[in-house]
Amino acid sequence: MSEYDQIQKSSLNLKGVGELSAGKKKKKKSKESKHRLEQVVTSQNDDEEVKTKKAYIDKRTPAQIAFDKMQEKRQMERILKKASKTHKHRVEDFNRHLDALTEHYDIPKVSWTK
């Protein structure tokens, strides 16, 4: 029994729980100070937005601008092409495509009687 004499038998002490931490409380800020801070922050954001709008310069090359325009144009063409067909029409086209394929792509039948 001498091996167990050095064991601590008290309860586990956790941080933030107990008598020491219960004495520390956060101070409540007044509503007026919060309101003043919000006004200052919003006024600063407005000033920054005005500066960024005036200072924005397109740094792309003419080739990049043309590339972006063509991409947008092609994307619009794709969208209009997909929107022009109904689901029923797409299914019919897909079935016609499958009928045109050779039998090489068919799944072979397997039977146990061979």
Side-chain angles (χ1 to χ4, degrees), residues 37-53:
L37 286 174
E38 288 176 4
Q39 287 178 347
V40 170
V41 170
T42 54
S43 65
Q44 288 176 351
N45 288 340
D46 293 339
D47 294 338
E48 291 174 3
E49 288 178 7
V50 171
K51 290 178 184 176
T52 56
K53 287 181 182 177

Side-chain angles (χ1 to χ4, degrees), residues 92-109:
E92 289 174 358
D93 288 343
F94 184 65
N95 285 335
R96 271 191 242 116
H97 170 70
L98 290 178
D99 289 338
L101 292 177
T102 61
E103 293 181 11
H104 173 73
Y105 295 104
D106 288 342
I107 299 171
K109 294 182 179 179

Side-chain angles (χ1 to χ4, degrees), residues 61-78:
T61 62
Q64 289 173 330
I65 294 170
F67 177 76
D68 290 339
K69 285 182 183 177
M70 286 303 295
Q71 271 194 329
E72 289 176 13
K73 181 181 173 185
R74 287 186 185 125
Q75 185 176 11
M76 287 302 297
E77 288 175 359
R78 276 189 229 116

